Amino acid sequence: MAKDSTGGRDNASQRFMRATGRLRAIFGPANRSSLVHDMTEENKRLLAQREVESQQWETLQRPDGSTYVVPKNRDDQSLR
């Protein structure tokens, strides 16, 4: 297994995976891919799309403190 560049120490998930090796035989394997990688072009496009979609909503707060989400343009029926 490759070590990361932070002094040769494994991260917490790698230590956990080694410590629970026999349990994984019962509960199934976990994903061991790296979490420190650049975003792919597809993921960048999806993120941009989700950000645009989230801008069409606004969060309102009730007097009791609870919140809810409504469309910014209340006349636009395509959002419903």
Side-chain angles (χ1 to χ4, degrees), residues 19-74:
T20 60
R22 290 185 185 239
L23 291 175
R24 282 183 283 133
I26 298 168
F27 296 110
N31 187 2
R32 293 184 69 164
S33 67
S34 173
L35 298 176
V36 287
H37 55 79
D38 294 332
M39 289 182 70
T40 63
E41 287 301 318
E42 181 183 1
N43 285 343
K44 288 178 184 178
R45 283 192 306 273
L46 285 171
L47 178 61
Q49 178 184 352
R50 297 293 185 258
E51 287 173 345
V52 168
E53 289 172 357
S54 69
Q55 291 174 0
Q56 66 183 343
W57 304 97
E58 64 180 328
T59 304
L60 299 179
Q61 189 168 13
R62 294 183 177 109
D64 66 356
S66 62
T67 59
Y68 61 103
V69 178
V70 295
K72 282 187 179 179
N73 183 357
R74 295 172 193 215

